[in-house]
Amino acid sequence: MRKTIIAGNWKMYKTIKEAIELSNGLKRELFKLDKQGIDVVLCPPFTALSEVAEVLVESDILLGAQDLYWQDEGAFTGEVSAKMLQEAGCTFAIIGHSERRQFFGETNATVNKKIKAALANALTPILCVGETLKEREAKETFDVLEDHLHNGLDGLNKEDVLRMVVAYEPVWAIGTGKTATPEQAQEVHGYIRDLLRKLYDKETALQIRIQYGGSVKPENISALMQQPDIDGALVGGASLQVVSFTDIVKKAAEVIK
Ligand code: 13P
């Protein structure tokens, strides 16, 4: 039985003050909910991690980073290591988000190093994979996913991948208001699980959680969560407000009840 995971990727939003306010609001509202044991993860920007970690003390909400660098320390101006993130209170790290691939030169090779660094520092990597609109239209979706997974997971064994989460985020659905239909998402999630079975084994594939991301909102989370291979959501825009994010968690909890 896979535990549902709902994560909020705040991207480059929220000053420290705003982040404290948002996390306090979420802590208060989510505490009132019967979350059915759902893992809820907040991923604020680096600057707010320590403060949000303070807010989350004595709550079961988890903290994640949006990226990391694979060396523990060194002359790498502007970078933040997995070790530093762990010390700041993180237990998760988003890796290979399409915005990093698109705007900051992230490749499968760097994604692979980052996953290994996360695992070595007790962080659960959330590996993001997904195709662009052009790739979908050219019917290359499955090839792109195979490339992201095969190369992103290079050299990782079964025990390693069992400590990971995969997030399917079709680039064309991110921040566009265009969600993949539940059927479109399920088709790809099923494909990813089958790929994991081929790369590892059935047992492993059945245990790995696969989240969907891309314009997830309170209005579409229930239908997405009803799909057999969708184990949660990675939420961008709708995670920036207490009401919408709480609603998403609440509706996901209702589906798994
Ligand atoms: P939106 O929910 O804003 O489309 O963003 C999705 C995303 O990129 C989460 O990582």
Side-chain angles (χ1 to χ4, degrees):
M1 184 63 183
R2 299 182 295 268
K3 194 173 180 188
T4 301
I5 172 168
I6 307 282
N9 174 10
W10 295 4
K11 308 194 179 183
M12 201 176 73
Y13 291 98
K14 305 294 174 187
T15 60
I16 295 175
K17 187 166 167 270
E18 291 164 346
I20 293 172
E21 214 171 281
L22 175 57
S23 47
N24 260 316
L26 287 170
K27 182 178 163 180
R28 192 179 54 240
E29 292 308 311
L30 291 171
F31 180 73
K32 296 183 203 159
L33 282 187
D34 181 3
K35 296 203 292 300
Q36 304 286 327
I38 291 178
D39 278 341
V40 176
V41 188
L42 308 184
C43 304
F46 288 139
T47 46
L49 284 172
S50 295
E51 281 79 1
V52 173
E54 286 277 310
V55 172
L56 300 183
V57 168
E58 289 180 15
S59 94
D60 58 358
I61 303 173
L62 304 160
L63 187 68
Q66 299 175 17
D67 187 27
L68 56 80
Y69 192 64
W70 56 84
Q71 300 278 1
D72 277 353
E73 59 179 16
F76 303 105
T77 303
E79 295 296 325
V80 179
S81 73
K83 192 177 159 193
M84 292 167 177
L85 295 172
Q86 189 200 19
E87 193 201 14
C90 293
T91 49
F92 283 79
I94 297 171
I95 295 177
H97 191 280
S98 65
E99 285 149 17
R100 299 229 51 96
R101 294 181 193 257
Q102 207 178 338
F103 306 127
F104 303 101
E106 190 87 83
T107 64
N108 290 323
T110 57
V111 163
N112 185 254
K113 289 186 194 181
K114 290 180 179 188
I115 293 174
K116 288 174 180 161
L119 291 171
N121 287 278
L123 298 175
T124 300
I126 299 179
L127 165 63
C128 299
V129 297
E131 80 288 2
T132 62
L133 182 60
K134 201 167 149 219
E135 288 161 345
R136 174 162 280 260
E137 284 173 351
K139 306 214 176 315
E140 290 166 4
T141 299
F142 294 154
D143 296 338
V144 171
L145 291 166
E146 166 146 25
D147 176 51
H148 284 172
L149 283 162
H150 196 262
N151 296 310
L153 299 176
D154 189 39
L156 295 172
N157 62 29
K158 185 171 142 172
E159 286 69 38
D160 295 328
V161 292
L162 282 171
R163 291 166 55 208
M164 296 181 54
V165 173
V166 174
Y168 168 56
E169 297 208 307
V171 181
W172 49 271
I174 296 178
T176 58
K178 267 191 226 160
T179 333
T181 63
E183 295 72 27
Q184 275 174 325
Q186 168 56 33
E187 184 191 22
V188 177
H189 281 233
Y191 177 81
I192 292 173
R193 205 173 299 286
D194 198 48
L195 209 55
L196 291 168
R197 181 185 61 77
K198 287 181 192 145
L199 289 172
Y200 297 95
D201 55 40
K202 190 173 170 199
E203 188 97 323
T204 309
L206 284 175
Q207 284 186 53
I208 297 176
R209 295 182 290 181
I210 310 174
Q211 298 174 287
Y212 169 79
S215 298
V216 172
K217 300 182 205 66
E219 298 78 50
N220 55 30
I221 184 71
S222 305
L224 288 162
M225 284 302 301
Q226 273 156 20
Q227 300 299 320
D229 287 299
I230 299 184
D231 306 315
L234 182 55
V235 187
S239 73
L240 297 173
Q241 272 160 8
V242 175
V243 176
S244 44
F245 194 63
T246 306
D247 241 26
I248 288 172
V249 176
K250 188 175 162 192
K251 294 202 160 129
E254 281 163 11
V255 174
I256 59 171
K257 213 170 191 170

